[in-house]
Amino acid sequence: MDWPTFRHTVFQRVQGAQTIRDLLPVYSFVFEQLKDDHGWLTYQGKSYKWRNPARPAYANQVVKEALAKKPGVLVQLLPHRIGYIQLPGINAGGSLQQMRDAAKMVQDSLCRLDPDNVRAWILDLRLNDGGAMAPMLAGIAPLLGDSHLGGFVDKDGRADQQWYLRQGNFYMDTLQVTTLKQRCPARRADKPIAVLLSGMTASSGEIVAISLKGRPATRFFGEPTYGATTANESYRIQGTAYLTIAGLQDADRNQVAYKANLLPDVLIAGGDNFHDLMQDAKVQAAVQWLRKAKGNRKQ
């Protein structure tokens, strides 16, 4: 960015403004110049951002309609002892306690199945449009085990904050975010996992997917994700006004940064059926692979 020219142009655009409300329309221009369609300004409970016209309209009506119904966490056992977890976006608020409550809700749902009786898993992120990453990852900790899952990198590829699962809880560097007790500890966390993606998988939903990149016995099915693979940083301006901008890029456990979106290993456009999973093209492909897939050690 040519910051002096940028600042001058913005100030010219708001000349004559008398109130904060007079300034709000300029933020779309600000984010457009930054090419940041993941950031926003929050003022009096409303968000102001830039809608990137270069993003193609998402055409999968089945996924859009399912997401519009605000789905919850869904866990069920499919044939061949395959566990299915639908993990939608989770907006857990800003407090640590809200994060911890949300993580408990996800893991309580998961624990309705005995992880030791499941031979493989389908993690469905098609309806995960973001929210809080900590409760999502802590909630599915029995599947993943304790490990380094990923982190953020700056524009030059230098590592910044890293995220981990330790004793079933989510950590950002050394900060413990969740306080789950091992509610249904799995004896093994190396079982095959098929991850389902859609064009609505976004932001923290993409972070959950990235956290499984580089994991053995893991394969991704479906559509390319939305492409909000940046870490947002919020800066308080005054009162309840915050400026949130994309400051870092998401990277997996092998320090591979995702500058655009995630591409599935097996591309499947359409064929979604959330009412009858065994008639769902993406679930069918995942089941077919999982029936042959092996974990890290003999099952």
Side-chain angles (χ1 to χ4, degrees):
M1 289 295 297
D2 178 351
W3 290 105
T5 300
F6 179 43
R7 183 177 294 109
H8 178 72
T9 303
V10 171
F11 285 173
Q12 280 189 319
R13 280 177 169 256
V14 297
Q15 277 191 358
Q18 299 297 313
T19 67
I20 291 177
R21 290 208 168 275
D22 293 338
L23 298 175
L24 298 178
V26 82
Y27 278 93
S28 177
F29 172 78
V30 168
F31 286 112
E32 179 182 8
Q33 299 308 300
L34 296 172
K35 299 295 185 285
D36 182 0
D37 60 357
H38 196 191
W40 65 90
L41 172 81
T42 300
Y43 179 68
Q44 292 189 344
K46 294 184 179 180
S47 296
Y48 301 84
K49 63 184 301 178
W50 171 57
R51 306 290 178 182
N52 187 349
R55 285 192 182 276
Y58 183 56
N60 190 328
Q61 197 64 30
V62 175
V63 172
K64 290 197 293 185
E65 290 175 358
L67 184 59
K69 294 177 181 177
K70 301 187 183 303
V73 177
L74 174 65
V75 178
Q76 59 181 281
L77 187 64
L78 302 182
H80 314 292
R81 289 171 48 221
I82 294 173
Y84 171 86
I85 306 168
Q86 177 183 279
L87 183 62
I90 295 177
N91 292 310
S95 74
L96 281 175
Q97 188 57 52
Q98 288 172 306
M99 295 273 192
R100 291 162 179 171
D101 291 343
K104 181 178 181 297
M105 179 273 295
V106 174
Q107 194 167 122
D108 283 349
S109 299
L110 172 62
C111 290
R112 291 171 189 158
L113 296 181
D114 182 352
D116 291 328
N117 289 335
V118 175
R119 66 166 301 276
W121 296 93
I122 293 175
L123 178 61
D124 192 345
L125 301 176
R126 288 177 291 177
L127 306 181
N128 194 319
D129 58 351
M133 62 186 288
M136 299 180 201
L137 289 167
I140 62 171
L143 277 63
L144 306 180
D146 289 349
S147 63
H148 168 233
L149 300 180
F152 303 120
V153 297
D154 66 16
K155 63 183 177 64
D156 298 316
R158 291 188 294 260
D160 200 273
Q161 293 173 303
Q162 303 292 298
W163 61 83
Y164 305 82
L165 288 176
R166 295 177 179 139
Q167 296 182 322
N169 281 293
F170 181 87
Y171 283 74
M172 184 65 75
D173 289 335
T174 59
L175 173 65
Q176 181 177 350
V177 180
T178 65
T179 54
L180 282 171
K181 297 178 180 178
Q182 288 281 4
R183 305 185 64 81
C184 55
R187 287 196 296 267
R188 291 180 51 197
D190 64 340
K191 295 179 181 180
I193 299 179
V195 184
L196 308 187
L197 305 173
S198 80
M200 300 302 288
T201 307
S203 190
S204 293
E206 289 171 297
I207 284 181
V208 175
I210 287 170
S211 296
L212 279 87
K213 282 287 186 179
R215 178 188 182 273
T218 305
R219 196 162 175 80
F220 295 76
F221 298 81
E223 305 165 351
T225 62
Y226 177 80
T229 53
T230 51
N232 284 340
E233 298 179 87
S234 292
Y235 300 89
R236 182 172 176 268
I237 300 173
Q238 65 175 26
T240 58
Y242 286 84
L243 180 67
T244 301
I245 60 175
L248 299 165
Q249 293 175 334
D250 303 339
D252 63 25
R253 65 188 71 195
N254 296 318
Q255 294 297 310
V256 176
Y258 293 81
K259 298 182 179 180
N261 56 9
L262 282 77
L263 302 177
D265 299 308
V266 181
L267 180 63
I268 305 172
D272 306 88
N273 189 331
F274 294 99
H275 301 291
D276 186 349
L277 291 175
M278 296 313 295
Q279 299 302 314
D280 186 299
K282 298 176 176 73
V283 172
Q284 289 175 340
V287 168
Q288 185 176 3
W289 174 73
L290 288 171
R291 290 184 66 185
K292 302 175 183 177
K294 301 294 183 182
N296 290 346
R297 60 190 179 92
K298 188 175 180 181
Q299 300 203 33

